[in-house]
């Protein structure tokens, strides 16, 4: 069966008068029906830009797709008009944005915002849409939904606002959900509730999920496969189990070692340095200046292309065998 979503050789730039930032560089991955894929990397790696490019929500007029294809159910989305994309957004593909406080309109009740989405995409009466908004709030675990549906975003906690965002994203039963840092700024208890909620909804609707995060704990709990991004480039992709048990890229290993473990008394390791200048073309491995495994070949493009190093496990690391032996 063909994947639900296919992103192939995607390149996105952010152009300003001062400089051009190469935010996404030759990114390729896919999401299958009913599958959860994690898009992982530190801040500035190009995760959110990749996610927004799928729905043509890049910042205008600076954000531009320079190359590549984005296919949803075999349909090429990059060639769609604004009107065609309006049908896709919400109806076919839902999106949970990173900050629910700034994503929800503060001057409208949360129920009105859900009803507006329902009336835009579905043939419902206003009363039927309002009743469905109440049911959606009940579905996402908000208590007293008949009361909460009439409240404004500022009257709700961060966890409740995030649940409203999920209700908005799934109100039209989409086939794909894009979740951009859905647990940011939430305490661990609420974070766990939100993740379980997303799993339950996925089982009910059978939708695919692309979850953008820098939290490896979220990845371990939610994802079937993982795509690791660094400086807008795919460093590694594998099943979640393979990635944690035998990482094949030095950057992935660094991310895993930087996560604190309760049972371990070892000193927590960090990744030294910072992201490279994204306004300059990247040649070779963009991580090599921060990498303890780096050798001369890491500066050459032909040695740092994504390739299959084990069945279903792809890495762009020239030193993938050494990295695996250290994991």
């Amino acid at each position: 069966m063909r994947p639900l979503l296919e992103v192939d050789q995607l390149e996105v730039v952010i152009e300003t008068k001062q400089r051009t930032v190469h935010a996404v560089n030759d990114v390729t991955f896919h999401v299958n029906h009913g599958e959860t894929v994690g898009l992982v990397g530190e801040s500035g790696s190009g995760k959110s830009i990749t996610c927004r490019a799928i729905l043509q929500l890049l910042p205008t007029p600076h954000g531009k797709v320079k190359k590549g294809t984005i296919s949803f159910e075999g349909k090429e989305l990059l060639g769609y008009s604004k009107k065609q994309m309006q049908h896709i957004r919400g109806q076919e593909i839902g999106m949970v944005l990173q900050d629910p406080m700034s994503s929800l309109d503060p001057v409208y009740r949360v129920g009105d915002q859900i009803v507006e989405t329902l009336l835009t995409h579905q043939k419902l009466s206003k009363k039927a849409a309002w009743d469905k908004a109440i049911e959606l709030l009940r579905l996402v675990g908000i208590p007293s939904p008949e009361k909460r549906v009439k409240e404004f975003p500022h009257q709700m906690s961060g966890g409740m606002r995030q649940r409203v965002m999920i209700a908005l994203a799934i109100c039209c039963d989409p086939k794909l959900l894009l979740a951009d840092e859905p647990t940011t700024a939430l305490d661990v208890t609420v974070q766990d509730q939100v993740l379980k909620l997303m799993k339950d909804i996925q089982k009910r609707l059978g939708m695919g999920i692309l979850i953008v995060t820098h939290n490896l704990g979220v990845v371990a709990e939610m994802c079937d496969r993982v795509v690791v991004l660094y400086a807008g480039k795919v460093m590694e992709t594998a099943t979640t189990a393979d990635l944690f048990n035998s990482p094949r890229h030095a950057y992935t290993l660094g991310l895993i070692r930087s996560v604190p473990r309760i049972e371990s008394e070892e000193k927590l390791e960090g990744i030294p340095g910072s992201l490279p200048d994204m306004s300059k073309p990247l040649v070779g491995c963009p991580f090599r200046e921060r990498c303890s495994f780096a050798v001369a070949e890491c500066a050459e493009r032909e040695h740092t292309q994504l390739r299959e190093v084990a069945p279903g496990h792809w890495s762009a690391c020239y030193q993938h065998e050494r990295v695996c032996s250290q994991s």
Side-chain angles (χ1 to χ4, degrees):
M1 180 184 290
R2 187 166 188 169
L4 178 63
L5 174 72
E6 295 175 277
V7 177
D8 187 36
Q9 297 182 320
L10 181 67
E11 291 186 11
V12 179
V13 297
I14 309 297
E15 295 179 339
T16 65
K17 290 182 180 180
Q18 291 75 28
R19 61 177 187 161
T20 297
V21 176
H22 301 271
V24 177
N25 301 285
D26 198 28
V27 165
T28 297
F29 65 90
H30 68 274
V31 181
N32 293 316
H33 293 265
E35 181 184 39
T36 302
V37 175
L39 207 54
V40 180
E42 62 192 284
S43 297
S45 296
K47 307 183 300 298
S48 294
I49 290 293
T50 300
C51 209
R52 287 178 173 271
I54 294 169
L55 286 178
Q56 293 187 20
L57 292 175
L58 293 172
T60 55
H62 305 298
K64 297 176 183 177
V65 175
K66 298 290 286 186
K67 178 187 171 186
T69 61
I70 299 173
S71 178
F72 176 71
E73 291 193 312
K75 299 171 288 190
E76 176 50 53
L77 296 185
L78 291 180
Y80 271 31
S81 65
K82 288 184 179 180
K83 189 173 182 179
Q84 288 174 310
M85 285 306 301
Q86 285 174 355
H87 171 77
I88 292 291
R89 298 186 196 114
Q91 179 78 5
E92 303 285 339
I93 304 176
M95 185 167 183
V96 180
L97 295 171
Q98 188 167 351
D99 183 1
M101 194 61 223
S102 61
S103 302
L104 292 169
D105 195 319
V107 301
Y108 289 97
R109 296 177 299 177
V110 296
D112 291 323
Q113 297 182 55
I114 297 173
V115 165
E116 182 184 8
T117 302
L118 288 168
L119 294 178
T120 299
H121 294 290
Q122 297 185 349
K123 294 179 180 179
L124 296 174
S125 66
K126 193 161 186 179
K127 183 182 184 306
W130 195 261
D131 289 342
K132 187 169 182 179
I134 293 172
E135 286 305 310
L136 282 163
L137 293 188
R138 183 175 286 112
L139 175 65
V140 298
I142 292 181
S144 305
E146 297 85 357
K147 176 187 174 183
R148 295 289 186 179
V149 77
K150 298 176 183 178
E151 292 185 346
F152 292 88
H154 73 271
Q155 294 176 283
M156 295 182 163
S157 67
M160 282 193 178
R161 289 195 295 264
Q162 194 66 281
R163 289 167 187 264
V164 171
M165 285 298 302
I166 294 173
L168 268 168
I170 66 165
C171 66
C172 297
D173 297 342
K175 298 172 184 175
L176 175 66
L177 180 67
L178 308 180
D180 188 0
E181 299 281 7
T183 58
T184 296
L186 300 179
D187 62 63
V188 291
T189 303
V190 177
Q191 174 178 296
D192 183 61
Q193 292 171 352
V194 168
L195 294 178
K196 286 180 178 177
L197 171 63
M198 290 175 63
K199 281 184 178 180
D200 291 341
I201 294 171
Q202 182 181 36
K203 288 178 182 178
R204 294 189 191 191
L205 302 180
M207 63 184 179
I209 297 178
L210 177 64
I211 184 167
V212 173
T213 184
H214 60 268
N215 188 329
L216 292 183
V218 171
V219 171
E221 183 173 346
M222 284 287 295
C223 299
D224 302 302
R225 287 188 301 110
V226 188
V227 179
V228 181
L229 284 187
Y230 179 79
K233 182 179 177 181
V234 177
M235 300 283 99
E236 185 170 6
T237 179
T239 64
T240 304
D242 283 349
L243 191 91
F244 279 95
N245 291 332
S246 56
R248 295 299 188 97
H249 198 286
Y251 179 59
T252 309
L253 182 62
L255 289 177
I256 293 172
R257 285 180 171 177
S258 66
V259 176
R261 292 176 175 81
I262 296 175
E263 71 278 3
S264 175
E265 296 182 0
E266 295 181 10
K267 184 179 178 181
L268 188 65
E269 294 185 34
I271 301 176
S274 57
L275 286 163
D277 186 350
M278 301 285 282
S279 65
K280 298 176 181 178
L282 299 176
V283 180
C285 178
F287 185 63
R288 66 183 184 276
E289 298 297 332
R290 306 171 68 184
C291 180
S292 60
F293 296 92
V295 292
E297 287 82 358
C298 296
E300 300 173 15
R301 179 180 175 82
E302 61 268 25
H303 292 306
T304 54
Q305 295 300 295
L306 201 64
R307 59 191 183 277
E308 193 169 22
V309 295
H313 197 143
W314 296 70
S315 172
C317 186
Y318 179 74
Q319 294 280 57
H320 66 89
E321 291 182 353
R322 279 186 62 199
V323 171
C324 186
S325 67
Q326 294 292 316
S327 61

